[in-house]
PDB file of all heavy atoms in Angstrom:
ATOM      1  N   ALA A  70     111.664  76.999  87.156  1.00  0.00           N
ATOM      2  CA  ALA A  70     111.495  78.379  86.696  1.00  0.00           C
ATOM      3  C   ALA A  70     112.153  79.362  87.649  1.00  0.00           C
ATOM      4  O   ALA A  70     112.757  80.354  87.220  1.00  0.00           O
ATOM      5  CB  ALA A  70     110.009  78.692  86.532  1.00  0.00           C
ATOM      6  N   MET A  71     112.056  79.088  88.954  1.00  0.00           N
ATOM      7  CA  MET A  71     112.696  79.967  89.938  1.00  0.00           C
ATOM      8  C   MET A  71     114.215  79.888  89.818  1.00  0.00           C
ATOM      9  O   MET A  71     114.904  80.910  89.892  1.00  0.00           O
ATOM     10  CB  MET A  71     112.253  79.587  91.355  1.00  0.00           C
ATOM     11  CG  MET A  71     110.772  79.781  91.609  1.00  0.00           C
ATOM     12  SD  MET A  71     110.229  81.491  91.459  1.00  0.00           S
ATOM     13  CE  MET A  71     110.902  82.168  92.964  1.00  0.00           C
ATOM     14  N   ARG A  72     114.743  78.685  89.628  1.00  0.00           N
ATOM     15  CA  ARG A  72     116.187  78.510  89.462  1.00  0.00           C
ATOM     16  C   ARG A  72     116.676  79.317  88.261  1.00  0.00           C
ATOM     17  O   ARG A  72     117.681  80.020  88.326  1.00  0.00           O
ATOM     18  CB  ARG A  72     116.540  77.037  89.286  1.00  0.00           C
ATOM     19  CG  ARG A  72     118.042  76.786  89.130  1.00  0.00           C
ATOM     20  CD  ARG A  72     118.373  75.315  88.920  1.00  0.00           C
ATOM     21  NE  ARG A  72     118.074  74.533  90.121  1.00  0.00           N
ATOM     22  CZ  ARG A  72     117.050  73.684  90.257  1.00  0.00           C
ATOM     23  NH1 ARG A  72     116.214  73.485  89.227  1.00  0.00           N
ATOM     24  NH2 ARG A  72     116.858  73.034  91.382  1.00  0.00           N
ATOM     25  N   GLU A  73     115.955  79.226  87.159  1.00  0.00           N
ATOM     26  CA  GLU A  73     116.323  79.968  85.948  1.00  0.00           C
ATOM     27  C   GLU A  73     116.310  81.475  86.204  1.00  0.00           C
ATOM     28  O   GLU A  73     117.244  82.189  85.835  1.00  0.00           O
ATOM     29  CB  GLU A  73     115.361  79.614  84.813  1.00  0.00           C
ATOM     30  CG  GLU A  73     115.648  80.365  83.537  1.00  0.00           C
ATOM     31  CD  GLU A  73     114.621  80.084  82.445  1.00  0.00           C
ATOM     32  OE1 GLU A  73     113.606  79.395  82.703  1.00  0.00           O
ATOM     33  OE2 GLU A  73     114.838  80.585  81.328  1.00  0.00           O
ATOM     34  N   MET A  74     115.269  81.962  86.860  1.00  0.00           N
ATOM     35  CA  MET A  74     115.164  83.390  87.153  1.00  0.00           C
ATOM     36  C   MET A  74     116.292  83.844  88.071  1.00  0.00           C
ATOM     37  O   MET A  74     116.967  84.840  87.805  1.00  0.00           O
ATOM     38  CB  MET A  74     113.809  83.698  87.802  1.00  0.00           C
ATOM     39  CG  MET A  74     113.659  85.161  88.209  1.00  0.00           C
ATOM     40  SD  MET A  74     112.080  85.552  88.976  1.00  0.00           S
ATOM     41  CE  MET A  74     112.114  84.556  90.451  1.00  0.00           C
ATOM     42  N   TRP A  75     116.496  83.117  89.172  1.00  0.00           N
ATOM     43  CA  TRP A  75     117.522  83.527  90.126  1.00  0.00           C
ATOM     44  C   TRP A  75     118.923  83.392  89.537  1.00  0.00           C
ATOM     45  O   TRP A  75     119.819  84.172  89.874  1.00  0.00           O
ATOM     46  CB  TRP A  75     117.374  82.735  91.418  1.00  0.00           C
ATOM     47  CG  TRP A  75     116.155  83.143  92.211  1.00  0.00           C
ATOM     48  CD1 TRP A  75     115.454  84.313  92.096  1.00  0.00           C
ATOM     49  CD2 TRP A  75     115.505  82.398  93.227  1.00  0.00           C
ATOM     50  NE1 TRP A  75     114.405  84.326  92.996  1.00  0.00           N
ATOM     51  CE2 TRP A  75     114.413  83.174  93.700  1.00  0.00           C
ATOM     52  CE3 TRP A  75     115.733  81.155  93.801  1.00  0.00           C
ATOM     53  CZ2 TRP A  75     113.571  82.746  94.707  1.00  0.00           C
ATOM     54  CZ3 TRP A  75     114.879  80.723  94.807  1.00  0.00           C
ATOM     55  CH2 TRP A  75     113.811  81.510  95.256  1.00  0.00           C
ATOM     56  N   THR A  76     119.150  82.448  88.648  1.00  0.00           N
ATOM     57  CA  THR A  76     120.438  82.319  87.965  1.00  0.00           C
ATOM     58  C   THR A  76     120.664  83.522  87.058  1.00  0.00           C
ATOM     59  O   THR A  76     121.778  84.059  86.989  1.00  0.00           O
ATOM     60  CB  THR A  76     120.501  80.997  87.166  1.00  0.00           C
ATOM     61  OG1 THR A  76     120.339  79.906  88.087  1.00  0.00           O
ATOM     62  CG2 THR A  76     121.820  80.857  86.433  1.00  0.00           C
ATOM     63  N   THR A  77     119.624  83.968  86.374  1.00  0.00           N
ATOM     64  CA  THR A  77     119.716  85.162  85.523  1.00  0.00           C
ATOM     65  C   THR A  77     120.062  86.389  86.356  1.00  0.00           C
ATOM     66  O   THR A  77     120.932  87.181  85.982  1.00  0.00           O
ATOM     67  CB  THR A  77     118.395  85.391  84.764  1.00  0.00           C
ATOM     68  OG1 THR A  77     118.137  84.258  83.936  1.00  0.00           O
ATOM     69  CG2 THR A  77     118.447  86.656  83.920  1.00  0.00           C
ATOM     70  N   VAL A  78     119.396  86.537  87.492  1.00  0.00           N
ATOM     71  CA  VAL A  78     119.676  87.679  88.370  1.00  0.00           C
ATOM     72  C   VAL A  78     121.134  87.632  88.827  1.00  0.00           C
ATOM     73  O   VAL A  78     121.851  88.639  88.757  1.00  0.00           O
ATOM     74  CB  VAL A  78     118.723  87.695  89.585  1.00  0.00           C
ATOM     75  CG1 VAL A  78     119.160  88.734  90.607  1.00  0.00           C
ATOM     76  CG2 VAL A  78     117.287  87.950  89.135  1.00  0.00           C
ATOM     77  N   ARG A  79     121.592  86.471  89.263  1.00  0.00           N
ATOM     78  CA  ARG A  79     122.975  86.328  89.736  1.00  0.00           C
ATOM     79  C   ARG A  79     123.987  86.597  88.617  1.00  0.00           C
ATOM     80  O   ARG A  79     125.080  87.094  88.872  1.00  0.00           O
ATOM     81  CB  ARG A  79     123.202  84.924  90.302  1.00  0.00           C
ATOM     82  CG  ARG A  79     122.688  84.788  91.687  1.00  0.00           C
ATOM     83  CD  ARG A  79     123.675  85.404  92.638  1.00  0.00           C
ATOM     84  NE  ARG A  79     123.061  85.651  93.917  1.00  0.00           N
ATOM     85  CZ  ARG A  79     123.531  86.520  94.793  1.00  0.00           C
ATOM     86  NH1 ARG A  79     124.592  87.211  94.546  1.00  0.00           N
ATOM     87  NH2 ARG A  79     122.937  86.696  95.932  1.00  0.00           N
ATOM     88  N   ALA A  80     123.636  86.278  87.387  1.00  0.00           N
ATOM     89  CA  ALA A  80     124.536  86.539  86.257  1.00  0.00           C
ATOM     90  C   ALA A  80     124.661  88.029  85.975  1.00  0.00           C
ATOM     91  O   ALA A  80     125.709  88.490  85.506  1.00  0.00           O
ATOM     92  CB  ALA A  80     124.038  85.808  85.007  1.00  0.00           C
ATOM     93  N   ARG A  81     123.637  88.791  86.275  1.00  0.00           N
ATOM     94  CA  ARG A  81     123.638  90.232  86.002  1.00  0.00           C
ATOM     95  C   ARG A  81     124.262  91.061  87.121  1.00  0.00           C
ATOM     96  O   ARG A  81     124.719  92.174  86.888  1.00  0.00           O
ATOM     97  CB  ARG A  81     122.218  90.721  85.763  1.00  0.00           C
ATOM     98  CG  ARG A  81     121.638  90.186  84.493  1.00  0.00           C
ATOM     99  CD  ARG A  81     120.244  90.670  84.269  1.00  0.00           C
ATOM    100  NE  ARG A  81     119.774  90.118  83.013  1.00  0.00           N
ATOM    101  CZ  ARG A  81     118.703  90.518  82.395  1.00  0.00           C
ATOM    102  NH1 ARG A  81     117.967  91.471  82.920  1.00  0.00           N
ATOM    103  NH2 ARG A  81     118.335  89.966  81.263  1.00  0.00           N
ATOM    104  N   TYR A  82     124.232  90.518  88.343  1.00  0.00           N
ATOM    105  CA  TYR A  82     124.686  91.292  89.496  1.00  0.00           C
ATOM    106  C   TYR A  82     125.748  90.525  90.266  1.00  0.00           C
ATOM    107  O   TYR A  82     125.570  89.364  90.592  1.00  0.00           O
ATOM    108  CB  TYR A  82     123.495  91.637  90.405  1.00  0.00           C
ATOM    109  CG  TYR A  82     122.451  92.429  89.659  1.00  0.00           C
ATOM    110  CD1 TYR A  82     121.323  91.809  89.126  1.00  0.00           C
ATOM    111  CD2 TYR A  82     122.621  93.785  89.433  1.00  0.00           C
ATOM    112  CE1 TYR A  82     120.384  92.531  88.398  1.00  0.00           C
ATOM    113  CE2 TYR A  82     121.688  94.514  88.713  1.00  0.00           C
ATOM    114  CZ  TYR A  82     120.580  93.883  88.197  1.00  0.00           C
ATOM    115  OH  TYR A  82     119.659  94.597  87.477  1.00  0.00           O
ATOM    116  N   SER A  83     126.847  91.207  90.568  1.00  0.00           N
ATOM    117  CA  SER A  83     127.975  90.561  91.240  1.00  0.00           C
ATOM    118  C   SER A  83     127.818  90.537  92.751  1.00  0.00           C
ATOM    119  O   SER A  83     128.423  89.702  93.420  1.00  0.00           O
ATOM    120  CB  SER A  83     129.278  91.276  90.879  1.00  0.00           C
ATOM    121  OG  SER A  83     129.235  92.628  91.297  1.00  0.00           O
ATOM    122  N   GLU A  84     127.024  91.442  93.261  1.00  0.00           N
ATOM    123  CA  GLU A  84     126.833  91.541  94.706  1.00  0.00           C
ATOM    124  C   GLU A  84     125.370  91.870  94.962  1.00  0.00           C
ATOM    125  O   GLU A  84     124.783  92.703  94.259  1.00  0.00           O
ATOM    126  CB  GLU A  84     127.719  92.663  95.263  1.00  0.00           C
ATOM    127  CG  GLU A  84     127.527  92.985  96.700  1.00  0.00           C
ATOM    128  CD  GLU A  84     128.260  94.270  97.113  1.00  0.00           C
ATOM    129  OE1 GLU A  84     129.193  94.688  96.419  1.00  0.00           O
ATOM    130  OE2 GLU A  84     127.855  94.839  98.141  1.00  0.00           O
ATOM    131  N   MET A  85     124.790  91.208  95.937  1.00  0.00           N
ATOM    132  CA  MET A  85     123.413  91.482  96.318  1.00  0.00           C
ATOM    133  C   MET A  85     123.312  91.455  97.831  1.00  0.00           C
ATOM    134  O   MET A  85     123.891  90.590  98.473  1.00  0.00           O
ATOM    135  CB  MET A  85     122.477  90.425  95.716  1.00  0.00           C
ATOM    136  CG  MET A  85     122.412  90.447  94.214  1.00  0.00           C
ATOM    137  SD  MET A  85     121.496  89.060  93.474  1.00  0.00           S
ATOM    138  CE  MET A  85     120.031  88.958  94.450  1.00  0.00           C
ATOM    139  N   ARG A  86     122.582  92.422  98.358  1.00  0.00           N
ATOM    140  CA  ARG A  86     122.314  92.422  99.788  1.00  0.00           C
ATOM    141  C   ARG A  86     120.981  93.116 100.014  1.00  0.00           C
ATOM    142  O   ARG A  86     120.458  93.772  99.112  1.00  0.00           O
ATOM    143  CB  ARG A  86     123.424  93.084 100.582  1.00  0.00           C
ATOM    144  CG  ARG A  86     123.640  94.536 100.309  1.00  0.00           C
ATOM    145  CD  ARG A  86     124.832  95.107 101.104  1.00  0.00           C
ATOM    146  NE  ARG A  86     125.113  96.471 100.719  1.00  0.00           N
ATOM    147  CZ  ARG A  86     124.505  97.530 101.231  1.00  0.00           C
ATOM    148  NH1 ARG A  86     123.588  97.391 102.173  1.00  0.00           N
ATOM    149  NH2 ARG A  86     124.819  98.738 100.831  1.00  0.00           N
ATOM    150  N   CYS A  87     120.466  92.949 101.220  1.00  0.00           N
ATOM    151  CA  CYS A  87     119.186  93.582 101.516  1.00  0.00           C
ATOM    152  C   CYS A  87     119.117  94.016 102.965  1.00  0.00           C
ATOM    153  O   CYS A  87     119.877  93.556 103.807  1.00  0.00           O
ATOM    154  CB  CYS A  87     118.032  92.634 101.191  1.00  0.00           C
ATOM    155  SG  CYS A  87     117.763  91.325 102.401  1.00  0.00           S
ATOM    156  N   GLU A  88     118.181  94.914 103.210  1.00  0.00           N
ATOM    157  CA  GLU A  88     117.802  95.330 104.551  1.00  0.00           C
ATOM    158  C   GLU A  88     116.295  95.110 104.652  1.00  0.00           C
ATOM    159  O   GLU A  88     115.572  95.301 103.668  1.00  0.00           O
ATOM    160  CB  GLU A  88     118.122  96.811 104.775  1.00  0.00           C
ATOM    161  CG  GLU A  88     119.600  97.132 104.670  1.00  0.00           C
ATOM    162  CD  GLU A  88     119.872  98.640 104.658  1.00  0.00           C
ATOM    163  OE1 GLU A  88     118.908  99.449 104.631  1.00  0.00           O
ATOM    164  OE2 GLU A  88     121.060  98.997 104.643  1.00  0.00           O
ATOM    165  N   VAL A  89     115.824  94.707 105.809  1.00  0.00           N
ATOM    166  CA  VAL A  89     114.394  94.435 106.003  1.00  0.00           C
ATOM    167  C   VAL A  89     113.903  95.295 107.167  1.00  0.00           C
ATOM    168  O   VAL A  89     113.851  94.834 108.309  1.00  0.00           O
ATOM    169  CB  VAL A  89     114.144  92.931 106.262  1.00  0.00           C
ATOM    170  CG1 VAL A  89     112.640  92.653 106.326  1.00  0.00           C
ATOM    171  CG2 VAL A  89     114.811  92.069 105.199  1.00  0.00           C
ATOM    172  N   PRO A  90     113.518  96.549 106.888  1.00  0.00           N
ATOM    173  CA  PRO A  90     113.083  97.417 107.983  1.00  0.00           C
ATOM    174  C   PRO A  90     111.712  97.068 108.555  1.00  0.00           C
ATOM    175  O   PRO A  90     111.424  97.387 109.698  1.00  0.00           O
ATOM    176  CB  PRO A  90     113.072  98.809 107.353  1.00  0.00           C
ATOM    177  CG  PRO A  90     112.957  98.578 105.888  1.00  0.00           C
ATOM    178  CD  PRO A  90     113.596  97.247 105.614  1.00  0.00           C
ATOM    179  N   ILE A  91     110.875  96.412 107.751  1.00  0.00           N
ATOM    180  CA  ILE A  91     109.535  96.052 108.228  1.00  0.00           C
ATOM    181  C   ILE A  91     109.243  94.608 107.840  1.00  0.00           C
ATOM    182  O   ILE A  91     109.430  94.215 106.691  1.00  0.00           O
ATOM    183  CB  ILE A  91     108.449  96.973 107.627  1.00  0.00           C
ATOM    184  CG1 ILE A  91     108.705  98.434 108.000  1.00  0.00           C
ATOM    185  CG2 ILE A  91     107.061  96.530 108.090  1.00  0.00           C
ATOM    186  CD1 ILE A  91     107.801  99.418 107.282  1.00  0.00           C
ATOM    187  N   LEU A  92     108.796  93.838 108.821  1.00  0.00           N
ATOM    188  CA  LEU A  92     108.434  92.446 108.592  1.00  0.00           C
ATOM    189  C   LEU A  92     107.226  92.143 109.481  1.00  0.00           C
ATOM    190  O   LEU A  92     107.293  92.304 110.697  1.00  0.00           O
ATOM    191  CB  LEU A  92     109.607  91.534 108.954  1.00  0.00           C
ATOM    192  CG  LEU A  92     109.507  90.081 108.567  1.00  0.00           C
ATOM    193  CD1 LEU A  92     109.477  89.919 107.060  1.00  0.00           C
ATOM    194  CD2 LEU A  92     110.703  89.324 109.124  1.00  0.00           C
ATOM    195  N   VAL A  93     106.123  91.742 108.857  1.00  0.00           N
ATOM    196  CA  VAL A  93     104.893  91.468 109.587  1.00  0.00           C
ATOM    197  C   VAL A  93     104.431  90.060 109.222  1.00  0.00           C
ATOM    198  O   VAL A  93     104.366  89.714 108.043  1.00  0.00           O
ATOM    199  CB  VAL A  93     103.790  92.495 109.224  1.00  0.00           C
ATOM    200  CG1 VAL A  93     102.503  92.194 109.950  1.00  0.00           C
ATOM    201  CG2 VAL A  93     104.265  93.913 109.509  1.00  0.00           C
ATOM    202  N   ALA A  94     104.127  89.265 110.230  1.00  0.00           N
ATOM    203  CA  ALA A  94     103.675  87.891 109.998  1.00  0.00           C
ATOM    204  C   ALA A  94     102.328  87.672 110.657  1.00  0.00           C
ATOM    205  O   ALA A  94     102.083  88.147 111.774  1.00  0.00           O
ATOM    206  CB  ALA A  94     104.698  86.913 110.557  1.00  0.00           C
ATOM    207  N   GLU A  95     101.480  86.956 109.939  1.00  0.00           N
ATOM    208  CA  GLU A  95     100.170  86.591 110.476  1.00  0.00           C
ATOM    209  C   GLU A  95      99.790  85.247 109.884  1.00  0.00           C
ATOM    210  O   GLU A  95      99.650  85.109 108.664  1.00  0.00           O
ATOM    211  CB  GLU A  95      99.131  87.645 110.105  1.00  0.00           C
ATOM    212  CG  GLU A  95      97.767  87.369 110.695  1.00  0.00           C
ATOM    213  CD  GLU A  95      96.781  88.489 110.405  1.00  0.00           C
ATOM    214  OE1 GLU A  95      97.092  89.643 110.747  1.00  0.00           O
ATOM    215  OE2 GLU A  95      95.731  88.188 109.835  1.00  0.00           O
ATOM    216  N   GLY A  96      99.669  84.257 110.713  1.00  0.00           N
ATOM    217  CA  GLY A  96      99.349  82.915 110.228  1.00  0.00           C
ATOM    218  C   GLY A  96     100.424  82.409 109.280  1.00  0.00           C
ATOM    219  O   GLY A  96     101.608  82.431 109.606  1.00  0.00           O
ATOM    220  N   ASP A  97     100.010  81.997 108.094  1.00  0.00           N
ATOM    221  CA  ASP A  97     100.942  81.472 107.089  1.00  0.00           C
ATOM    222  C   ASP A  97     101.442  82.538 106.122  1.00  0.00           C
ATOM    223  O   ASP A  97     102.053  82.215 105.104  1.00  0.00           O
ATOM    224  CB  ASP A  97     100.263  80.350 106.289  1.00  0.00           C
ATOM    225  CG  ASP A  97     100.078  79.098 107.120  1.00  0.00           C
ATOM    226  OD1 ASP A  97     100.795  78.953 108.125  1.00  0.00           O
ATOM    227  OD2 ASP A  97      99.218  78.275 106.766  1.00  0.00           O
ATOM    228  N   ARG A  98     101.189  83.796 106.430  1.00  0.00           N
ATOM    229  CA  ARG A  98     101.582  84.879 105.530  1.00  0.00           C
ATOM    230  C   ARG A  98     102.555  85.828 106.209  1.00  0.00           C
ATOM    231  O   ARG A  98     102.418  86.143 107.384  1.00  0.00           O
ATOM    232  CB  ARG A  98     100.351  85.641 105.063  1.00  0.00           C
ATOM    233  CG  ARG A  98      99.448  84.736 104.244  1.00  0.00           C
ATOM    234  CD  ARG A  98      98.321  85.480 103.641  1.00  0.00           C
ATOM    235  NE  ARG A  98      97.559  84.547 102.829  1.00  0.00           N
ATOM    236  CZ  ARG A  98      96.309  84.695 102.534  1.00  0.00           C
ATOM    237  NH1 ARG A  98      95.653  85.739 102.969  1.00  0.00           N
ATOM    238  NH2 ARG A  98      95.692  83.808 101.796  1.00  0.00           N
ATOM    239  N   VAL A  99     103.519  86.269 105.404  1.00  0.00           N
ATOM    240  CA  VAL A  99     104.520  87.220 105.893  1.00  0.00           C
ATOM    241  C   VAL A  99     104.659  88.329 104.853  1.00  0.00           C
ATOM    242  O   VAL A  99     104.785  88.054 103.655  1.00  0.00           O
ATOM    243  CB  VAL A  99     105.888  86.542 106.127  1.00  0.00           C
ATOM    244  CG1 VAL A  99     106.910  87.551 106.641  1.00  0.00           C
ATOM    245  CG2 VAL A  99     105.760  85.369 107.085  1.00  0.00           C
ATOM    246  N   ALA A 100     104.635  89.563 105.312  1.00  0.00           N
ATOM    247  CA  ALA A 100     104.827  90.727 104.446  1.00  0.00           C
ATOM    248  C   ALA A 100     106.115  91.424 104.862  1.00  0.00           C
ATOM    249  O   ALA A 100     106.402  91.548 106.051  1.00  0.00           O
ATOM    250  CB  ALA A 100     103.645  91.685 104.570  1.00  0.00           C
ATOM    251  N   ALA A 101     106.884  91.853 103.868  1.00  0.00           N
ATOM    252  CA  ALA A 101     108.163  92.492 104.170  1.00  0.00           C
ATOM    253  C   ALA A 101     108.380  93.700 103.274  1.00  0.00           C
ATOM    254  O   ALA A 101     108.060  93.669 102.084  1.00  0.00           O
ATOM    255  CB  ALA A 101     109.302  91.500 103.967  1.00  0.00           C
ATOM    256  N   ASN A 102     108.924  94.747 103.869  1.00  0.00           N
ATOM    257  CA  ASN A 102     109.454  95.871 103.102  1.00  0.00           C
ATOM    258  C   ASN A 102     110.949  95.595 103.008  1.00  0.00           C
ATOM    259  O   ASN A 102     111.641  95.572 104.032  1.00  0.00           O
ATOM    260  CB  ASN A 102     109.172  97.182 103.834  1.00  0.00           C
ATOM    261  CG  ASN A 102     109.796  98.377 103.154  1.00  0.00           C
ATOM    262  OD1 ASN A 102     110.275  98.289 102.035  1.00  0.00           O
ATOM    263  ND2 ASN A 102     109.800  99.501 103.835  1.00  0.00           N
ATOM    264  N   ILE A 103     111.433  95.360 101.792  1.00  0.00           N
ATOM    265  CA  ILE A 103     112.827  94.970 101.596  1.00  0.00           C
ATOM    266  C   ILE A 103     113.528  96.029 100.760  1.00  0.00           C
ATOM    267  O   ILE A 103     113.067  96.379  99.673  1.00  0.00           O
ATOM    268  CB  ILE A 103     112.922  93.598 100.891  1.00  0.00           C
ATOM    269  CG1 ILE A 103     112.130  92.542 101.660  1.00  0.00           C
ATOM    270  CG2 ILE A 103     114.381  93.180 100.730  1.00  0.00           C
ATOM    271  CD1 ILE A 103     111.975  91.230 100.915  1.00  0.00           C
ATOM    272  N   ARG A 104     114.620  96.545 101.270  1.00  0.00           N
ATOM    273  CA  ARG A 104     115.474  97.488 100.520  1.00  0.00           C
ATOM    274  C   ARG A 104     116.620  96.657  99.961  1.00  0.00           C
ATOM    275  O   ARG A 104     117.381  96.040 100.728  1.00  0.00           O
ATOM    276  CB  ARG A 104     116.003  98.570 101.454  1.00  0.00           C
ATOM    277  CG  ARG A 104     116.893  99.576 100.781  1.00  0.00           C
ATOM    278  CD  ARG A 104     116.050 100.560 100.024  1.00  0.00           C
ATOM    279  NE  ARG A 104     116.869 101.684  99.587  1.00  0.00           N
ATOM    280  CZ  ARG A 104     116.497 102.500  98.637  1.00  0.00           C
ATOM    281  NH1 ARG A 104     115.343 102.352  98.050  1.00  0.00           N
ATOM    282  NH2 ARG A 104     117.274 103.471  98.276  1.00  0.00           N
TER     283      ARG A 104
END
Side-chain angles (χ1 to χ4, degrees):
M71 296 298 286
R72 181 181 293 107
E73 178 184 6
M74 177 180 63
W75 289 340
T76 300
T77 299
V78 170
R79 280 281 163 201
R81 292 180 179 193
Y82 301 98
S83 61
E84 174 190 340
M85 295 172 46
R86 64 183 174 85
C87 77
E88 298 170 355
V89 185
I91 300 172
L92 190 65
V93 179
E95 183 175 305
D97 289 339
R98 296 187 177 155
V99 180
N102 175 11
I103 305 170
R104 180 78 169 162

